[in-house]
Amino acid sequence: MPPHQADGGRRAWAFLFGASIVEGLMWGLPLSFGVFQAYYETHDPFKGEKHLQLVGTLTTGVSYLGTPFVAFLLLKFQKYRRHMIFAGWLICISALVASSFATQFWHLAVSQGILYGFGFLFIEYPVLDMLNEWFVKRRGMAYGMLSGSGGVFGLALPFIIQTLLDRYGHAVTLRVCAIAMFVIVGSILPLIQGCLRPKILDAADRKFDTTVFWNTTFMAITFSNIFQGLGFFLPSSYLPSYATDIGLSTTQGAFILSFLNFTQIIGQMGIGHLSDHYNARIPMLASTFLSAVVVFLGWGFSKTFETLVAFSAFFGLVAGGYSVLYCRFATALTEDSTTALLLYSIFEFQRGVSSILGSLSSGFAVSDRVNVGRYGVEKYEVIILLVGSGMLFSCCGCFSWVISFFRGKRHTFSLLEDDFPVVEEKEELCAA
């Protein structure tokens, strides 16, 4: 078959379309967990359980925490990438079916939380590895589109799930989701193929450049990443419940979550585009600082449907695209592709750890009292302060060049180029 050029062509766009459908549906469900949580909290057999938010956090947390392990498997067994995607797809379907029979909290935590996150992990990383082959110069844009696809599905899924929950309950809803995933994703999987022939790496190729871990830039990015992940997922978990506590309907709560997912699409694509043309610290600084401002002022003082919609819009725009920058962080730190893959997995792992810590902390931070006249209606005051403070600390990591200056490293800061080594990637001809 004839070779295919990276960054364009029918097959490259077909891959991105198929990958976006798979990513969007598989990730759209965890993004819509707030609707499930609001239902579980008010219906048997999970009514009154205080740590239900941990189920959604386990889904995202496991998918992040397992990235170093999957990255190792991917480097060693690259020719089995499609097999990994197929296995992850079946695991996710099994997780939804198993959770439909749950009668206790730990049943949900294991099935809808851990098992689903584990299955999604085996889908996402091979897809990202293939995307790196199809897109080089336009990689930030491609990452933004892929990440934004979850928001596209997250725009409609909260309404669909809410309708199913109201009519049929959680058991039937979860089984319907499993059937939809089997049919839709199964029909798209043939499009998910790599651009290059799988490589078998020898021992020398699998060596990592460990010097990057002592780079002040890596330390600053790590600091920023951990604090950003500490609070990023909490609004999507608590906004539907917050809406209910201020007197809004479940449909309005679903709309608020849906709108948050929608604006994350724009944020992810926008930040991805910016990272292709500007120093990654610029969107990094804007994302974290503006997120803190929006949380402190937008969420804490929201008492009406309109103000909550405005908060979800601004938070999705400024906070949603942060993780799109991981690929640019990695290429700014190393020229070695194997080390870059490891760095990406480490950033994801850090995000997973911090998201679980944030969720565990939030479970103890929620108050039993609701006072609409107080900041955060009192019940969510500490959570809002936790999210806003995490974002504020995260933006401190953007000042890595200041740290480098005081350590005697004279880096010239540029708005247009990263002032650390950038991978000089060649456009490659992709053989089928």
Side-chain angles (χ1 to χ4, degrees):
M1 296 183 67
H4 302 274
Q5 191 73 34
D7 286 303
R10 180 176 58 85
R11 293 197 61 193
W13 293 114
F15 166 81
L16 186 58
F17 170 78
S20 297
I21 296 295
V22 173
E23 172 95 5
L25 181 59
M26 307 295 281
W27 193 239
L29 277 174
L31 287 179
S32 305
F33 180 75
V35 175
F36 279 107
Q37 180 180 331
Y39 180 87
Y40 290 151
E41 288 175 343
T42 55
H43 293 76
D44 292 329
F46 309 110
K47 186 177 181 180
E49 175 60 51
K50 293 194 65 174
H51 296 285
L52 283 166
Q53 83 288 342
L54 189 59
V55 177
T57 303
L58 282 172
T59 307
T60 55
V62 168
S63 67
Y64 287 125
L65 290 173
T67 49
F69 169 70
V70 174
F72 172 79
L73 290 180
L74 207 54
L75 288 170
K76 192 169 184 179
F77 305 106
Q78 193 181 36
K79 66 179 181 178
Y80 296 111
R81 290 182 299 184
R82 298 197 71 214
H83 299 77
M84 293 171 65
I85 293 173
F86 185 80
W89 169 56
L90 294 179
I91 291 172
C92 286
I93 293 172
S94 301
L96 292 177
V97 173
S99 59
S100 71
F101 293 98
T103 57
Q104 298 182 42
F105 166 71
W106 73 267
H107 296 165
L108 284 179
V110 171
S111 55
Q112 195 172 357
I114 296 173
L115 190 60
Y116 189 94
F118 186 74
F120 180 76
L121 175 64
F122 272 79
I123 295 173
E124 183 184 34
Y125 231 77
V127 168
L128 290 177
D129 191 48
M130 294 176 184
L131 183 143
N132 287 339
E133 296 175 356
W134 285 110
F135 293 90
V136 179
K137 290 185 176 181
R138 306 175 76 177
R139 186 171 294 170
M141 176 275 299
Y143 268 72
M145 291 182 65
L146 186 66
S147 299
S149 63
V152 173
F153 278 81
L155 181 62
L157 281 175
F159 294 106
I160 297 172
I161 293 171
Q162 187 67 62
T163 301
L164 290 171
L165 287 171
D166 290 340
R167 291 185 180 181
Y168 306 109
H170 73 279
V172 173
T173 299
L174 288 165
R175 290 166 198 165
V176 169
C177 291
I179 294 171
M181 189 174 293
F182 179 82
V183 174
I184 297 173
V185 175
S187 63
I188 293 292
L189 284 180
L191 295 177
I192 312 300
Q193 299 185 38
C195 175
L196 303 173
R197 291 186 178 91
K199 298 177 294 183
I200 299 177
L201 302 179
D202 57 27
D205 292 328
R206 290 197 294 266
K207 287 184 178 179
F208 304 119
D209 178 14
T210 57
T211 59
V212 297
F213 301 126
W214 305 105
N215 189 313
T216 53
T217 301
F218 172 78
M219 298 177 186
I221 291 172
T222 294
F223 182 88
S224 174
N225 190 37
I226 289 174
F227 277 101
Q228 203 273 350
L230 194 66
F232 171 72
F233 297 98
L234 295 182
S236 62
S237 294
Y238 284 103
L239 276 175
S241 301
Y242 187 99
T244 301
D245 286 331
I246 63 174
L248 303 182
S249 67
T250 56
T251 302
Q252 288 175 310
F255 177 84
I256 291 167
L257 180 60
S258 176
F259 202 64
L260 173 64
N261 293 335
F262 170 70
T263 54
Q264 284 183 9
I265 306 168
I266 304 173
Q268 287 164 340
M269 295 181 66
I271 288 180
H273 177 75
L274 287 174
S275 71
D276 283 338
H277 297 88
Y278 296 93
N279 187 299
R281 294 191 186 97
I282 303 305
M284 179 185 181
L285 175 61
S287 173
T288 52
F289 179 74
L290 292 177
S291 295
V293 174
V294 168
V295 169
F296 283 135
L297 300 181
W299 191 6
F301 294 104
S302 291
K303 303 293 190 300
T304 65
F305 174 69
E306 292 77 13
T307 54
L308 269 185
V309 168
F311 162 72
S312 65
F314 284 112
F315 185 79
L317 284 172
V318 299
Y322 182 90
S323 60
V324 174
L325 296 172
Y326 288 172
C327 62
R328 291 307 178 196
F329 292 161
T331 55
L333 285 165
T334 181
E335 298 180 6
D336 177 61
S337 59
T338 302
T339 304
L341 182 62
L342 175 66
L343 285 170
Y344 189 95
S345 71
I346 288 174
F347 295 144
E348 295 261 302
F349 178 83
Q350 293 168 351
R351 192 174 178 85
V353 172
S354 59
S355 68
I356 291 177
L357 290 176
S359 179
L360 289 172
S361 302
S362 70
F364 296 101
V366 178
S367 171
D368 294 326
R369 297 183 299 275
V370 176
N371 185 346
V372 179
R374 288 194 55 177
Y375 182 82
V377 297
E378 187 173 356
K379 181 177 181 179
Y380 303 94
E381 180 180 2
V382 178
I383 290 178
I384 293 171
L385 295 176
L386 174 68
V387 176
S389 299
M391 296 298 174
L392 197 59
F393 278 110
S394 177
C395 78
C396 296
C398 303
F399 298 102
S400 61
W401 63 87
V402 177
I403 299 173
S404 298
F405 176 80
F406 282 108
R407 294 194 62 176
K409 300 178 180 180
R410 297 180 60 84
H411 293 303
T412 302
F413 176 67
S414 167
L415 294 178
L416 299 178
E417 298 177 352
D418 285 312
D419 41 31
F420 294 94
V422 181
V423 178
E424 294 292 336
E425 298 182 84
K426 299 179 181 179
E427 293 186 6
E428 301 188 58
L429 293 177
C430 303

